Amino acid sequence: MLSAVLPENFDELVLDVIARIPPRHVMSYGDVAEYLGVGGPRQVARVLSNGTGDLPWWRVLRADGSPAPQIADECLAHHRAEATPLRPDGTRVDMRRARWDGR
DNA sequence: CTCTTGACGCCGG
DNA sequence: TCCGGCGCCAAGA
């Protein structure tokens, strides 16, 4: 079934997931969408661009572990602060070690 | 209604 | 590994 109509509370669903990502862990925009079973990376990204309140928005990044350019500095600062595993270059999170599967 | 935008992702060179 | 190109799809102009 293709349905795929975004639920009215899609924003809440996305924010709920973000709230559950443990420190030192991250999910890609696509991971969040897949986890929810609805929407896609761009839909998730748009929700974040609308504002996330006090939630750890920096724990959601691109599939390759790099942060969106626009918020890169802030994002990396948070990860350095909580010691999220980064790749040698220090500009990307080490997805292999930091990706959260929801468990 | 059509056209553009964008905190994305995958693939090929 | 780095880059460009193309697909994707809701939202706003």
Side-chain angles (χ1 to χ4, degrees):
Chain A
M1 130 90 135
L2 306 180
S3 72
V5 176
L6 249 44
E8 185 59 43
N9 62 334
F10 184 67
D11 291 37
E12 292 178 38
L13 296 178
V14 171
L15 297 179
D16 284 340
V17 176
I18 295 175
R20 297 179 44 192
I21 304 176
R24 292 159 146 295
H25 289 270
V26 302
M27 284 180 91
S28 71
Y29 298 91
D31 287 343
V32 175
E34 188 181 329
Y35 183 81
L36 292 175
V38 289
R42 314 205 70 140
Q43 283 60 258
V44 172
R46 178 154 33 70
V47 172
L48 294 199
S49 71
N50 290 328
T52 62
D54 291 310
L55 298 177
W57 53 265
W58 57 90
R59 292 175 191 156
V60 180
L61 22 124
R62 294 175 173 174
D64 69 351
S66 67
Q70 174 176 14
I71 58 165
D73 287 356
E74 273 285 306
C75 187
L76 292 173
H78 277 290
H79 287 299
R80 281 192 297 271
E82 67 183 45
T84 303
L86 299 178
R87 300 188 73 179
D89 54 40
T91 66
R92 292 182 293 172
V93 167
D94 184 336
M95 292 304 278
R96 198 155 57 170
R97 294 199 291 160
R99 175 174 257 139
W100 186 54
D101 42 36
R103 276 172 293 136

